Each structure stands twice: as C-alpha cells, then as structure tokens.
Amino acid sequence: MPQQGGQRVAFVKSVGLEEASSSVLNLKVLSSVFSYADCKADKSLPIKSTVMSVPPDLHQQYLQACQNLSQPENPFIARVLQEADKSDNMKWTKGITLKIAGNNHLVPVQRVTDEDLQVLAFVLRSSIFVTGLDLRYNVLTDVGAKHMATFLQRNETLVYLRMTGNKIGNQGGMYFASMLQINSTLEKLDLGDCDLGTQCLIAIATALTQNKSVKAINLNRPLLYSQEEETTVHVASMLKNNSSLVELHLCKHEIKSFGVERLCEALYENCSLRYLDLSCNRITRDDVKFLGELLKRNQTLEILDLNSNRIEDDGAVYLSEALALYNRTFQVLSVVSNNISGKGLVALSQAMKTNMELSYIYIWGNKFDDATCMAFSELIQTGRLKPACTDVEPYEVDGYVYLAELSHGLKKHYYWTPSCGEVTNKAANASLAVGAVLEYL
C-alpha cells in the first residue's frame, strides 16, 4: 500500500517527455497512489461520499464549507450557487450545469482559484443534482486540476466538465489522465487551451483506450515541441480501440501529412466518431487525399472541421469527389480560410447538388470569383442550401452577384459570450444542432 501522496508528484516530475510512452504504463499505479493518499491527507474529503436524496442548499453549504476550511468566500461562486438553488431543474432533479466562467462579462466576476475549487469540490461531493461544471478561463493551475481529478475519482453524477483556458499544464493533465482510468460517469471533458504537454496527451489517449464513458473530448492547443507527431499517433491508436467517443477536437496540434494518414487509417475501423475537428493545423492539398479516401469508406463521420488549413483547390476537389459519388451520411463541412479559389469552391457546390445529406457548408475566407458567387447563390435561392446552414449570403450590385459574410459557424461562441447574453440562434453554433452530445463542447 502506498504511504504518501508525494510519491505521485515525484513520479510526474521525474518522467521526461522522451519517457512518455513508458510512463503511461504506470497510470494504474499512479491512480491508486493518487486516490488513497489524497484521501488520507485531506480529512475533509472522505473516501466514500454521502449522496443526498433531496435538493441541497448549495449556497448555505458553500458558506459553511468556507468556514470549515478557513477559506474566504468567492462572491462569484456564491452567486452562481444561489441561482442554482432557485433553479426549477433542482426541484425536478433533471440536473443542472454550474456556469462559473471566468470570462463572463455579463456579471461581476472574481476568478476561481485553486483554493476556491477545493471548497467547491467539497460542496459538490454530496450533490447528485449538479451534472455539469463550466470553469473556463479562471486562474486554476495543476493544483486545482488535482482537486478536480480527486473529486471526479469518487463522483458518479458529473457528466460534463469544461476547464478551457486554465493553465493546468502537463502535470495537471496527468491528474486527469489517471482520473479517466477510474471515473465511469464523465461524458464530456474540455481541456482545450490548458497548456497540455506531450506526456499527458499520450497518457490521456492511453486512458481513453479503455474508458467507455467519455463521448466528447477537447484537447485543443497543447504545447508541443516536437515535429514527430507522437501525440497524433497515440490518438490514432486510441481511435482504433475506442468505441464510445463521438466527438474529438484536435485544433492546433501541428498535424501534417503523417498525422492525417494515421488518423484516417484509424477511422477506417472506428464506428463511433461523428465529429472530427482538425482546424488550425498544417493540412495541405496532398494530405486531403487521405481524408477523401476516408469519406469514401467511413459511413459514421458526420462533421469535419478543416478551418484554417491550406487544402486549396485540389484538396477541395478530392473532398467533393468523395462526397458526390460515395458518401451518403456526411452532413457538415467547414473549409473556412483554406486558400480555395473558384475551381474548388464550385466543385463543392456541385457535390451538394448530388449529395442530399450534405446540409451545412462554411466557405468564408477563401477566394470568391464570379462562378463561386453564382454557384452558392443558386444553391441558396433554390432552397438546396438553407441560409442558416452556411456563412455566406448573396447580394447583387449593378447586375453582379457577390457573397457577404454571415456570423454563422460550427461553434462561433465557443470562446466567448456576446455582451447581449447567451445566443439562442443555432446558426452561430451549428454543431449543437447535429448531435445532442455536442451540447456543451
């Protein structure tokens, strides 16, 4: 039996990036040290939580917990909990999401610290009514990640967690990797923009090989210092074995030809993934051959986000051929800002005429010529392409047709909430309309 929690921290620090593959083999040992030692060290967090069967007074419990743990009250957390207590969902036990986003400009915000999160986790351990937690853009570090991962190892009600923008780093990511080997309830996990490193990405991919509960995960914008695409290789290996993951975000992973080929090979065998986000990578026209072949053979994938790559006309033609002649299940394509000109864009418009399942397409940021403007204007005017399902709108000046930009997209408000409040127009966040599991990510 492990004797102290410090062993785990020492283990994480002692493992270099070059030892990432071997380190993940020790995740089960790491998890047992983590769970038992932390419970022993923190008397306020019992190994088995008592779950309440009636709606708790979260605000009052929070104030009491602050007093018991000698921590100052965070007024932002207190206000959110007060509002949660008044929620109808609490009465009907449907479950609620606590939105404690540090970048909320609609109300006064005191960003959540590691100490604040420790108190909040203490409160939530006895609540079965909180099923979602949005902690994006606070000031949480690896210490806060440890508090949350410890909480999730014993929690059986939280299905959604968003940590976007908290700089938990590689060590914080390792805590979540070990948690994923134990937790069997969490369905949606967002670790985007958290400064994850190579080691923890490999560990998370390894954990997801066995995890059967996570349906959506966001691993956007890690800090990678190698050009060998090791993390993409491990993610691809995971996709060969995982049969539960529906949504995967790999934005800003420096994915190039080798990584795209590995991912496509893995997805030939995968029958669950419906949403693949490869935006802001280094995918070129030649790499799209692999994606085109994937769309010919895979009948599960429904959404592909290639925003801000460089597929150009040839890449667009490869995609259009696959969609026009072979695939009849794919629904959404985003090729925003991909240096595509008239040839490629017209080819995509022609694919929409033969493929009735392809319902959403986003093309802004490319090179529009007269043929492109006429082609998409025709699609919209004939009703083949609904105005809410694209990011362009035709208008006419002196007999010439042009395309204007619309504020539509897959997830326009992923990072921010407009000053007017939550957006109810689904056209700005179209991914939500395609699958229920996409509701939060």
Tab-separated table of all heavy atoms in Angstrom, residues 300-341:
chain	number	residue	atom	x	y	z
A	300	THR	N	-19.744	6.779	-40.801
A	300	THR	CA	-20.135	7.240	-39.465
A	300	THR	C	-19.899	8.729	-39.288
A	300	THR	O	-20.722	9.432	-38.700
A	300	THR	CB	-19.351	6.466	-38.374
A	300	THR	OG1	-19.520	5.068	-38.574
A	300	THR	CG2	-19.854	6.847	-36.986
A	301	LEU	N	-18.778	9.224	-39.791
A	301	LEU	CA	-18.403	10.624	-39.615
A	301	LEU	C	-19.450	11.552	-40.233
A	301	LEU	O	-19.856	11.367	-41.380
A	301	LEU	CB	-17.037	10.877	-40.244
A	301	LEU	CG	-16.321	12.182	-39.863
A	301	LEU	CD1	-15.935	12.161	-38.385
A	301	LEU	CD2	-15.079	12.383	-40.719
A	302	GLU	N	-19.877	12.555	-39.449
A	302	GLU	CA	-20.899	13.490	-39.913
A	302	GLU	C	-20.397	14.928	-40.013
A	302	GLU	O	-20.920	15.709	-40.804
A	302	GLU	CB	-22.100	13.452	-38.963
A	302	GLU	CG	-22.808	12.113	-38.920
A	302	GLU	CD	-23.935	12.106	-37.910
A	302	GLU	OE1	-24.119	13.113	-37.207
A	302	GLU	OE2	-24.645	11.091	-37.812
A	303	ILE	N	-19.388	15.296	-39.208
A	303	ILE	CA	-18.890	16.674	-39.179
A	303	ILE	C	-17.374	16.656	-39.312
A	303	ILE	O	-16.686	15.951	-38.560
A	303	ILE	CB	-19.274	17.383	-37.867
A	303	ILE	CG1	-20.774	17.302	-37.607
A	303	ILE	CG2	-18.811	18.829	-37.884
A	303	ILE	CD1	-21.196	17.885	-36.271
A	304	LEU	N	-16.846	17.447	-40.234
A	304	LEU	CA	-15.400	17.597	-40.395
A	304	LEU	C	-15.070	19.078	-40.447
A	304	LEU	O	-15.544	19.801	-41.327
A	304	LEU	CB	-14.926	16.906	-41.680
A	304	LEU	CG	-13.431	17.015	-41.994
A	304	LEU	CD1	-12.593	16.392	-40.880
A	304	LEU	CD2	-13.111	16.358	-43.337
A	305	ASP	N	-14.252	19.530	-39.501
A	305	ASP	CA	-13.854	20.936	-39.424
A	305	ASP	C	-12.402	21.063	-39.870
A	305	ASP	O	-11.485	20.630	-39.163
A	305	ASP	CB	-14.020	21.443	-37.987
A	305	ASP	CG	-13.829	22.959	-37.885
A	305	ASP	OD1	-13.386	23.567	-38.879
A	305	ASP	OD2	-14.113	23.524	-36.812
A	306	LEU	N	-12.194	21.657	-41.043
A	306	LEU	CA	-10.847	21.882	-41.586
A	306	LEU	C	-10.518	23.369	-41.631
A	306	LEU	O	-9.625	23.799	-42.371
A	306	LEU	CB	-10.750	21.290	-42.993
A	306	LEU	CG	-10.820	19.767	-43.082
A	306	LEU	CD1	-10.866	19.314	-44.535
A	306	LEU	CD2	-9.643	19.124	-42.363
A	307	ASN	N	-11.195	24.149	-40.835
A	307	ASN	CA	-10.991	25.595	-40.765
A	307	ASN	C	-9.510	25.948	-40.575
A	307	ASN	O	-8.803	25.359	-39.772
A	307	ASN	CB	-11.836	26.126	-39.597
A	307	ASN	CG	-11.602	27.574	-39.310
A	307	ASN	OD1	-11.184	28.337	-40.170
A	307	ASN	ND2	-11.870	27.970	-38.077
A	308	SER	N	-9.044	26.919	-41.359
A	308	SER	CA	-7.684	27.467	-41.221
A	308	SER	C	-6.591	26.429	-41.437
A	308	SER	O	-5.628	26.333	-40.670
A	308	SER	CB	-7.513	28.133	-39.841
A	308	SER	OG	-8.415	29.209	-39.691
A	309	ASN	N	-6.729	25.647	-42.505
A	309	ASN	CA	-5.634	24.839	-43.015
A	309	ASN	C	-5.271	25.387	-44.399
A	309	ASN	O	-5.489	26.562	-44.656
A	309	ASN	CB	-6.045	23.364	-43.073
A	309	ASN	CG	-6.023	22.699	-41.703
A	309	ASN	OD1	-4.971	22.354	-41.183
A	309	ASN	ND2	-7.197	22.539	-41.101
A	310	ARG	N	-4.733	24.565	-45.264
A	310	ARG	CA	-4.377	25.048	-46.607
A	310	ARG	C	-4.620	23.941	-47.627
A	310	ARG	O	-3.680	23.424	-48.248
A	310	ARG	CB	-2.907	25.516	-46.627
A	310	ARG	CG	-2.550	26.375	-47.833
A	310	ARG	CD	-1.118	26.886	-47.753
A	310	ARG	NE	-0.749	27.678	-48.897
A	310	ARG	CZ	-0.988	28.978	-49.037
A	310	ARG	NH1	-1.612	29.627	-48.073
A	310	ARG	NH2	-0.608	29.637	-50.114
A	311	ILE	N	-5.897	23.588	-47.803
A	311	ILE	CA	-6.194	22.463	-48.695
A	311	ILE	C	-6.271	22.894	-50.158
A	311	ILE	O	-6.153	22.058	-51.052
A	311	ILE	CB	-7.494	21.753	-48.276
A	311	ILE	CG1	-8.725	22.609	-48.588
A	311	ILE	CG2	-7.464	21.381	-46.797
A	311	ILE	CD1	-10.030	21.863	-48.413
A	312	GLU	N	-6.492	24.172	-50.435
A	312	GLU	CA	-6.503	24.738	-51.776
A	312	GLU	C	-7.501	24.035	-52.707
A	312	GLU	O	-8.323	23.223	-52.262
A	312	GLU	CB	-5.083	24.733	-52.347
A	312	GLU	CG	-4.113	25.535	-51.478
A	312	GLU	CD	-2.700	25.567	-52.010
A	312	GLU	OE1	-2.154	24.478	-52.286
A	312	GLU	OE2	-2.156	26.683	-52.157
A	313	ASP	N	-7.428	24.340	-53.985
A	313	ASP	CA	-8.402	23.809	-54.939
A	313	ASP	C	-8.342	22.287	-55.048
A	313	ASP	O	-9.374	21.607	-55.078
A	313	ASP	CB	-8.171	24.409	-56.330
A	313	ASP	CG	-8.674	25.837	-56.430
A	313	ASP	OD1	-9.506	26.234	-55.588
A	313	ASP	OD2	-8.232	26.569	-57.332
A	314	ASP	N	-7.135	21.733	-55.126
A	314	ASP	CA	-7.006	20.280	-55.286
A	314	ASP	C	-7.623	19.546	-54.100
A	314	ASP	O	-8.304	18.529	-54.276
A	314	ASP	CB	-5.530	19.897	-55.428
A	314	ASP	CG	-4.952	20.336	-56.761
A	314	ASP	OD1	-5.744	20.691	-57.664
A	314	ASP	OD2	-3.715	20.343	-56.917
A	315	GLY	N	-7.386	20.055	-52.884
A	315	GLY	CA	-7.970	19.418	-51.705
A	315	GLY	C	-9.485	19.474	-51.721
A	315	GLY	O	-10.161	18.502	-51.373
A	316	ALA	N	-10.034	20.622	-52.142
A	316	ALA	CA	-11.487	20.761	-52.222
A	316	ALA	C	-12.070	19.804	-53.252
A	316	ALA	O	-13.152	19.239	-53.055
A	316	ALA	CB	-11.848	22.203	-52.568
A	317	VAL	N	-11.360	19.591	-54.345
A	317	VAL	CA	-11.830	18.662	-55.379
A	317	VAL	C	-11.834	17.231	-54.851
A	317	VAL	O	-12.774	16.469	-55.106
A	317	VAL	CB	-10.952	18.782	-56.642
A	317	VAL	CG1	-11.266	17.656	-57.629
A	317	VAL	CG2	-11.163	20.138	-57.303
A	318	TYR	N	-10.781	16.844	-54.117
A	318	TYR	CA	-10.742	15.497	-53.522
A	318	TYR	C	-11.956	15.263	-52.626
A	318	TYR	O	-12.598	14.217	-52.678
A	318	TYR	CB	-9.470	15.303	-52.710
A	318	TYR	CG	-8.183	15.322	-53.497
A	318	TYR	CD1	-7.037	15.944	-52.994
A	318	TYR	CD2	-8.097	14.723	-54.750
A	318	TYR	CE1	-5.850	15.968	-53.706
A	318	TYR	CE2	-6.912	14.743	-55.479
A	318	TYR	CZ	-5.791	15.375	-54.948
A	318	TYR	OH	-4.628	15.396	-55.657
A	319	LEU	N	-12.266	16.259	-51.788
A	319	LEU	CA	-13.411	16.136	-50.881
A	319	LEU	C	-14.727	16.068	-51.658
A	319	LEU	O	-15.605	15.268	-51.337
A	319	LEU	CB	-13.440	17.314	-49.916
A	319	LEU	CG	-12.316	17.401	-48.868
A	319	LEU	CD1	-12.450	18.683	-48.060
A	319	LEU	CD2	-12.334	16.189	-47.949
A	320	SER	N	-14.857	16.918	-52.676
A	320	SER	CA	-16.111	16.961	-53.434
A	320	SER	C	-16.366	15.649	-54.168
A	320	SER	O	-17.518	15.187	-54.254
A	320	SER	CB	-16.097	18.139	-54.417
A	320	SER	OG	-15.075	17.971	-55.387
A	321	GLU	N	-15.317	15.024	-54.690
A	321	GLU	CA	-15.474	13.749	-55.386
A	321	GLU	C	-15.982	12.666	-54.439
A	321	GLU	O	-16.884	11.887	-54.773
A	321	GLU	CB	-14.152	13.316	-56.025
A	321	GLU	CG	-13.743	14.164	-57.220
A	321	GLU	CD	-12.371	13.794	-57.758
A	321	GLU	OE1	-11.691	12.956	-57.095
A	321	GLU	OE2	-11.974	14.312	-58.812
A	322	ALA	N	-15.390	12.626	-53.241
A	322	ALA	CA	-15.811	11.622	-52.259
A	322	ALA	C	-17.249	11.850	-51.829
A	322	ALA	O	-18.034	10.894	-51.693
A	322	ALA	CB	-14.874	11.655	-51.050
A	323	LEU	N	-17.613	13.113	-51.629
A	323	LEU	CA	-18.958	13.427	-51.151
A	323	LEU	C	-20.009	13.260	-52.239
A	323	LEU	O	-21.154	12.893	-51.966
A	323	LEU	CB	-18.988	14.854	-50.606
A	323	LEU	CG	-18.172	15.080	-49.326
A	323	LEU	CD1	-18.114	16.571	-48.986
A	323	LEU	CD2	-18.769	14.298	-48.167
A	324	ALA	N	-19.641	13.533	-53.475
A	324	ALA	CA	-20.608	13.454	-54.568
A	324	ALA	C	-20.896	12.014	-54.980
A	324	ALA	O	-22.037	11.674	-55.325
A	324	ALA	CB	-20.096	14.242	-55.771
A	325	LEU	N	-19.885	11.142	-54.915
A	325	LEU	CA	-20.026	9.811	-55.504
A	325	LEU	C	-20.135	8.670	-54.498
A	325	LEU	O	-20.691	7.614	-54.829
A	325	LEU	CB	-18.839	9.537	-56.433
A	325	LEU	CG	-18.636	10.532	-57.581
A	325	LEU	CD1	-17.368	10.197	-58.352
A	325	LEU	CD2	-19.847	10.527	-58.501
A	326	TYR	N	-19.628	8.855	-53.273
A	326	TYR	CA	-19.510	7.706	-52.383
A	326	TYR	C	-20.245	7.854	-51.046
A	326	TYR	O	-20.886	6.917	-50.597
A	326	TYR	CB	-18.031	7.414	-52.099
A	326	TYR	CG	-17.233	7.091	-53.327
A	326	TYR	CD1	-16.549	8.077	-54.027
A	326	TYR	CD2	-17.174	5.791	-53.817
A	326	TYR	CE1	-15.804	7.782	-55.166
A	326	TYR	CE2	-16.442	5.473	-54.954
A	326	TYR	CZ	-15.757	6.482	-55.628
A	326	TYR	OH	-15.043	6.173	-56.743
A	327	ASN	N	-20.118	9.011	-50.418
A	327	ASN	CA	-20.613	9.152	-49.044
A	327	ASN	C	-22.049	9.674	-49.023
A	327	ASN	O	-22.373	10.634	-49.720
A	327	ASN	CB	-19.697	10.114	-48.269
A	327	ASN	CG	-19.966	10.098	-46.793
A	327	ASN	OD1	-21.031	10.491	-46.343
A	327	ASN	ND2	-18.991	9.647	-46.022
A	328	ARG	N	-22.893	9.043	-48.180
A	328	ARG	CA	-24.284	9.488	-48.063
A	328	ARG	C	-24.703	9.649	-46.597
A	328	ARG	O	-25.895	9.601	-46.288
A	328	ARG	CB	-25.218	8.492	-48.769
A	328	ARG	CG	-25.135	8.535	-50.291
A	328	ARG	CD	-25.528	9.902	-50.838
A	328	ARG	NE	-25.448	9.994	-52.301
A	328	ARG	CZ	-24.386	10.398	-52.962
A	328	ARG	NH1	-23.284	10.731	-52.304
A	328	ARG	NH2	-24.395	10.471	-54.278
A	329	THR	N	-23.725	9.845	-45.717
A	329	THR	CA	-24.045	10.063	-44.302
A	329	THR	C	-23.442	11.355	-43.768
A	329	THR	O	-23.876	11.857	-42.742
A	329	THR	CB	-23.531	8.898	-43.435
A	329	THR	OG1	-22.118	8.743	-43.631
A	329	THR	CG2	-24.240	7.606	-43.791
A	330	PHE	N	-22.472	11.907	-44.460
A	330	PHE	CA	-21.776	13.112	-44.020
A	330	PHE	C	-22.691	14.333	-44.126
A	330	PHE	O	-23.412	14.488	-45.111
A	330	PHE	CB	-20.521	13.311	-44.879
A	330	PHE	CG	-19.579	14.360	-44.381
A	330	PHE	CD1	-18.717	14.109	-43.336
A	330	PHE	CD2	-19.554	15.621	-44.973
A	330	PHE	CE1	-17.842	15.084	-42.884
A	330	PHE	CE2	-18.693	16.598	-44.528
A	330	PHE	CZ	-17.826	16.329	-43.479
A	331	GLN	N	-22.671	15.219	-43.113
A	331	GLN	CA	-23.613	16.335	-43.075
A	331	GLN	C	-22.975	17.720	-43.083
A	331	GLN	O	-23.554	18.663	-43.616
A	331	GLN	CB	-24.486	16.239	-41.822
A	331	GLN	CG	-25.369	15.020	-41.759
A	331	GLN	CD	-26.266	15.048	-40.540
A	331	GLN	OE1	-26.848	16.075	-40.204
A	331	GLN	NE2	-26.367	13.926	-39.856
A	332	VAL	N	-21.791	17.890	-42.463
A	332	VAL	CA	-21.258	19.230	-42.212
A	332	VAL	C	-19.789	19.312	-42.615
A	332	VAL	O	-18.975	18.489	-42.178
A	332	VAL	CB	-21.392	19.616	-40.720
A	332	VAL	CG1	-20.984	21.070	-40.517
A	332	VAL	CG2	-22.796	19.360	-40.209
A	333	LEU	N	-19.454	20.329	-43.422
A	333	LEU	CA	-18.067	20.557	-43.823
A	333	LEU	C	-17.714	22.024	-43.635
A	333	LEU	O	-18.427	22.914	-44.112
A	333	LEU	CB	-17.864	20.174	-45.291
A	333	LEU	CG	-16.471	20.448	-45.874
A	333	LEU	CD1	-15.421	19.590	-45.178
A	333	LEU	CD2	-16.457	20.193	-47.384
A	334	SER	N	-16.611	22.274	-42.946
A	334	SER	CA	-16.102	23.637	-42.801
A	334	SER	C	-14.719	23.723	-43.429
A	334	SER	O	-13.797	23.019	-43.007
A	334	SER	CB	-16.025	24.040	-41.322
A	334	SER	OG	-15.446	25.333	-41.196
A	335	VAL	N	-14.594	24.578	-44.451
A	335	VAL	CA	-13.305	24.793	-45.114
A	335	VAL	C	-12.968	26.287	-45.104
A	335	VAL	O	-12.364	26.814	-46.038
A	335	VAL	CB	-13.317	24.241	-46.556
A	335	VAL	CG1	-13.329	22.719	-46.556
A	335	VAL	CG2	-14.508	24.784	-47.346
A	336	VAL	N	-13.343	26.953	-44.056
A	336	VAL	CA	-13.085	28.389	-43.912
A	336	VAL	C	-11.578	28.650	-43.958
A	336	VAL	O	-10.785	27.929	-43.350
A	336	VAL	CB	-13.679	28.898	-42.581
A	336	VAL	CG1	-13.273	30.340	-42.323
A	336	VAL	CG2	-15.196	28.752	-42.577
A	337	SER	N	-11.182	29.683	-44.706
A	337	SER	CA	-9.776	30.136	-44.763
A	337	SER	C	-8.830	29.002	-45.127
A	337	SER	O	-7.936	28.616	-44.365
A	337	SER	CB	-9.367	30.757	-43.413
A	337	SER	OG	-10.179	31.869	-43.105
A	338	ASN	N	-9.015	28.445	-46.324
A	338	ASN	CA	-8.164	27.354	-46.795
A	338	ASN	C	-7.520	27.634	-48.146
A	338	ASN	O	-7.077	26.700	-48.820
A	338	ASN	CB	-8.980	26.062	-46.874
A	338	ASN	CG	-8.849	25.208	-45.622
A	338	ASN	OD1	-7.930	24.406	-45.493
A	338	ASN	ND2	-9.759	25.410	-44.690
A	339	ASN	N	-7.496	28.909	-48.566
A	339	ASN	CA	-6.866	29.303	-49.822
A	339	ASN	C	-7.481	28.575	-51.027
A	339	ASN	O	-6.797	28.195	-51.971
A	339	ASN	CB	-5.350	29.031	-49.772
A	339	ASN	CG	-4.595	29.827	-50.814
A	339	ASN	OD1	-4.910	30.984	-51.084
A	339	ASN	ND2	-3.582	29.209	-51.422
A	340	ILE	N	-8.804	28.398	-50.977
A	340	ILE	CA	-9.521	27.758	-52.075
A	340	ILE	C	-10.053	28.848	-53.003
A	340	ILE	O	-10.591	29.856	-52.549
A	340	ILE	CB	-10.700	26.917	-51.549
A	340	ILE	CG1	-10.221	25.933	-50.482
A	340	ILE	CG2	-11.370	26.160	-52.688
A	340	ILE	CD1	-11.355	25.189	-49.795
A	341	SER	N	-9.934	28.647	-54.311
A	341	SER	CA	-10.466	29.617	-55.272
A	341	SER	C	-11.669	29.011	-55.997
A	341	SER	O	-12.253	28.024	-55.544
A	341	SER	CB	-9.365	30.045	-56.256
A	341	SER	OG	-8.873	28.934	-56.959
